[in-house]
Amino acid sequence: MTETIASDGSQRQSLRVHAADNVRVALKDLAAGTRVDDDGRPLELAEPIRHKHKFSVEDITAGDAVVMYGVTVGRATRPIPAGTAITVDNTEHSTASATPQARRGEWRVPDVSSFADVTFEGYCRPDGRVGTANVWLVVPLVFCENRNIEVLRQCVADALGEDPYRDYKRMARALLHGESDTEQTSPVGERLFPNVDGVRFLTHTLGCGGTDDDARALCQLLAGYICHPNVAGATVLSLGCQKAQIEMLKAAVAKRDPQWLRPVHYLEQQASTSEEALIREALTTIFDGLAEANRVERSPAPLSALTLGVECGGSDGFSGLSANPLVGAVVDRLVALGGSGILSEFPELCGVEHELIARCRDDAVAERFKTLMEAYQQHAARVGADFSMNPSPGNIRDGLITDAMKSAGAAKKGGDSPVIDVLDYTEPHTRAGLNLLCTPGNDVESTTALAGSGANLILFTTGLGTPTGNPITPVLKISSNSELAARMGDVIDFDAGPIIRGEATIDELADRLLALCIDTASGRYQPHAVRLAQYDFIPWKRGVSL
């Protein structure tokens, strides 16, 4: 990426990301007639260019490739004169491959000497994995149990005195009765289980009425959560007659935990004498489980025990220039230290497949990526969809006008290290290094899957702002621009905006962000998503409803 500081110390007006690009990115609103220095060549803008949007640096003929990050991100549908904005009216999605920048075996390992002896304070599990949190999980096998899950949620919060919405409830009472709202935080008493981060409750819309494959996939996902290193144990509620049976979930759990090292309690409503009896038994397992989980304390663990899931949502035109490559630099550092990263969202890798294939450690890994990507694309085509439909209206307003353009920036979250393994949805991460995980581009479905495959910390980049969190894995939110960090300070944990302003380099901020990851994994920093109890969980439904 070219430098964003001019020789006189002022911020440049625009940025060319790669030497092979035929577009630049406006770093602020530029008026028509503005003279731009295109790496030593003067260029006058033919029309106004909004910040975050792209403009051509040369005359582009209809049918020619639009190139950014050194790869094809679109194709001109009509002539685009130099100094003209790249828009949905003159550019369409295209994934024509260029020669890959990456080469197998040629990764430049970053300098991680300053982190060589650093550890984090985690929860060491009997299977050798390490948790960054310590929670008891309550899981429904079918949507019919969602109401009972909500009963348990409210009862446990009241009993523990840890209702995350207590201040909003106070606000509501004050508004209803016309009382003064002092906006003071209610005091929280001493925690009964100080070594436990809480009880987390899942709800979903699956478990019955779908295909057998959907039921099996749900059980595999739930098993990934139950057996996650951040989870001490679980209480499972089943109705009894649904397609996703208890034995199916037990088999999925046994594959991940063959020695049954983690306590899991299975309760079936149709076999219970009453709803009251079911709730009583469930509460008993939860409180007994909390007492058992509380006996585990944090202890030093190597950074190689960290697995970073990386995700983006509400992306803007700066995401691929600041937040995403910043996260990629953190992943590279962690991989160099023996840890792992998981890059998901296959629709947002469309257009840069050749780059990722070139980084695969061997032909078998490359072939698996191609096979899963092609199968996903074919499935989308059968229902009349295409990866080119991926950019949202918000993405387009902020300059991400094609899926390939969005993908080129989104893939930066994976850094530059070799692709060690490729996982299908719900498959557990087992190989240290960078893994690719087949998920949809939906933010929460993808984040849900990252945790299910073993990510014990998630880095989530955003340019427009999103509150997304996860029930069992801490989620750090990184903003692509400082305006967002200021406006949504109660959601954003880290600001990558200084990269855009030229006040800090990616390398400088990567070291700071990795340090924040270590503090989060150690329980010294609590992400905003955790403070707000933003525990989003949406399984991916690949099949059809029956």
Side-chain angles (χ1 to χ4, degrees):
M1 185 181 299
T2 57
E3 183 58 73
T4 60
I5 289 292
S7 58
D8 62 358
S10 62
Q11 182 182 354
R12 284 188 176 176
Q13 298 171 318
S14 65
L15 170 69
R16 185 201 287 254
V17 180
H18 188 274
D21 294 355
N22 58 7
V23 300
R24 294 182 71 93
V25 185
L27 299 178
K28 59 183 180 179
D29 289 340
L30 302 177
T34 299
R35 294 182 64 82
V36 174
D37 176 11
D38 180 35
D39 297 337
R41 184 176 64 90
L43 172 68
E44 185 173 312
L45 298 183
E47 59 184 347
I49 308 294
R50 291 175 52 204
H51 76 295
K52 306 181 186 179
H53 284 250
K54 290 78 186 172
F55 59 90
S56 58
V57 297
E58 60 188 41
D59 292 338
I60 302 175
T61 305
D64 284 353
V66 175
V67 180
M68 187 175 174
Y69 299 103
V71 299
T72 299
V73 297
R75 189 161 300 281
T77 56
R78 66 189 191 195
I80 307 176
T84 301
I86 305 296
T87 70
V88 292
D89 296 322
N90 58 28
T91 304
E92 64 182 3
H93 172 76
S94 176
T95 59
S97 296
T99 301
Q101 298 178 46
R103 296 287 187 277
R104 185 177 293 176
E106 294 186 2
W107 178 43
R108 183 178 177 182
V109 182
D111 179 10
V112 292
S113 56
S114 60
F115 292 94
D117 299 320
V118 175
T119 60
F120 73 98
E121 297 293 314
Y123 294 97
C124 296
R125 303 300 182 185
D127 62 3
R129 295 185 299 164
V130 183
T132 62
N134 189 28
V135 304
W136 188 268
L137 192 62
V138 185
V139 177
L141 252 178
V142 63
F143 54 81
C144 305
E145 291 300 312
N146 283 351
R147 180 264 181 188
N148 288 332
I149 294 291
E150 184 57 31
V151 170
L152 292 171
R153 187 199 310 269
Q154 294 192 30
C155 290
V156 170
D158 184 70
L160 295 179
E162 297 179 357
D163 184 355
Y165 309 123
R166 60 187 177 275
D167 291 320
Y168 286 139
K169 290 177 180 178
R170 175 192 51 75
M171 179 193 299
R173 289 192 296 270
L175 290 171
L176 177 63
H177 299 294
E179 300 171 357
S180 173
D181 182 3
T182 60
E183 298 186 2
Q184 293 178 351
T185 302
S186 302
V188 179
E190 182 178 351
R191 293 173 59 193
L192 294 176
F193 306 102
N195 294 325
V196 182
D197 293 290
V199 184
R200 303 292 160 78
F201 302 83
L202 306 185
T203 58
H204 56 79
T205 61
L206 302 182
C208 202
T211 65
D212 290 345
D213 284 345
D214 276 336
R216 281 190 287 269
L218 174 64
C219 288
Q220 292 290 343
L221 178 67
L222 295 178
Y225 272 64
I226 291 169
C227 299
H228 194 281
N230 290 358
V231 174
T235 298
V236 179
L237 296 192
S238 168
L239 178 60
C241 59
Q242 75 276 351
K243 185 166 286 188
Q245 288 285 297
I246 286 179
E247 291 306 314
M248 190 182 296
L249 178 57
K250 284 184 175 180
V253 169
K255 285 184 178 180
R256 289 168 167 78
D257 184 14
Q259 296 180 281
W260 301 100
L261 299 174
R262 184 176 278 94
V264 185
H265 306 279
Y266 299 90
L267 311 179
E268 185 173 298
Q269 185 169 10
Q270 289 173 346
S272 182
T273 57
S274 67
E275 180 193 286
E276 180 181 347
L278 176 74
I279 297 299
R280 177 181 294 274
E281 187 175 4
L283 287 171
T284 300
T285 66
I286 292 169
F287 294 140
D288 288 348
L290 286 172
E292 184 175 350
N294 194 54
R295 288 193 280 271
V296 182
E297 297 182 359
R298 289 185 182 270
S299 59
L303 296 186
S304 58
L306 286 179
T307 298
L308 290 180
V310 296
E311 177 70 24
C312 58
S315 298
D316 73 343
F318 287 160
S319 292
L321 307 177
S322 58
N324 289 352
L326 170 62
V327 165
V330 173
V331 170
D332 283 347
R333 281 160 170 72
L334 186 61
V335 169
L337 291 162
S340 300
I342 306 178
L343 175 65
S344 59
E345 298 183 291
F346 270 29
E348 298 197 3
L349 303 180
C350 176
V352 292
E353 299 98 327
H354 58 293
E355 292 288 340
L356 293 166
I357 288 170
R359 288 167 53 189
C360 289
R361 71 184 180 109
D362 55 37
D363 291 341
V365 173
E367 187 58 36
R368 182 138 209 258
F369 175 56
K370 287 191 286 186
T371 299
L372 287 175
M373 181 68 88
E374 289 169 2
Y376 194 162
Q377 289 174 316
Q378 290 168 6
H379 178 74
R382 284 195 294 270
V383 295
D386 189 89
F387 284 175
S388 63
M389 300 175 179
N390 184 263
S392 69
N395 294 151
I396 293 170
R397 283 195 301 271
D398 259 41
L400 299 177
I401 64 171
T402 71
D403 183 58
M405 185 180 291
K406 185 177 180 182
S407 295
K412 293 293 182 181
K413 300 191 303 296
D416 298 311
S417 68
V419 176
I420 297 300
D421 204 0
V422 178
L423 310 173
D424 198 2
Y425 178 62
T426 76
E427 286 185 341
H429 151 259
T430 59
R431 294 176 177 172
L434 179 64
N435 290 239
L436 305 182
L437 173 63
C438 182
T439 76
N442 178 295
D443 302 348
V444 178
E445 288 177 343
S446 180
T447 304
T448 297
L450 286 168
S453 287
N456 54 8
L457 187 61
I458 293 175
L459 301 185
F460 191 119
T461 67
T462 182
L464 303 178
T466 172
T468 305
N470 183 264
I472 64 172
T473 298
V475 178
L476 286 168
K477 226 64 65 46
I478 298 97
S479 66
S480 71
N481 61 88
S482 297
E483 186 276 333
L484 171 64
R487 179 165 42 85
M488 298 185 70
D490 57 346
V491 168
I492 299 300
D493 297 286
F494 194 91
D495 178 20
I499 295 171
I500 296 298
R501 297 195 303 277
E503 296 173 358
T505 67
I506 288 176
D507 283 341
E508 290 169 345
L509 288 192
D511 286 344
R512 295 183 209 168
L513 181 54
L514 179 54
L516 180 62
C517 289
I518 295 168
D519 283 345
T520 304
S522 301
R524 294 189 292 268
Y525 175 79
Q526 187 178 60
H528 289 302
V530 176
R531 297 176 190 175
L532 296 173
Q534 185 82 33
Y535 302 137
D536 302 307
F537 179 83
I538 302 180
W540 182 20
K541 190 177 186 300
R542 291 171 114 170
V544 296
S545 294
L546 300 175

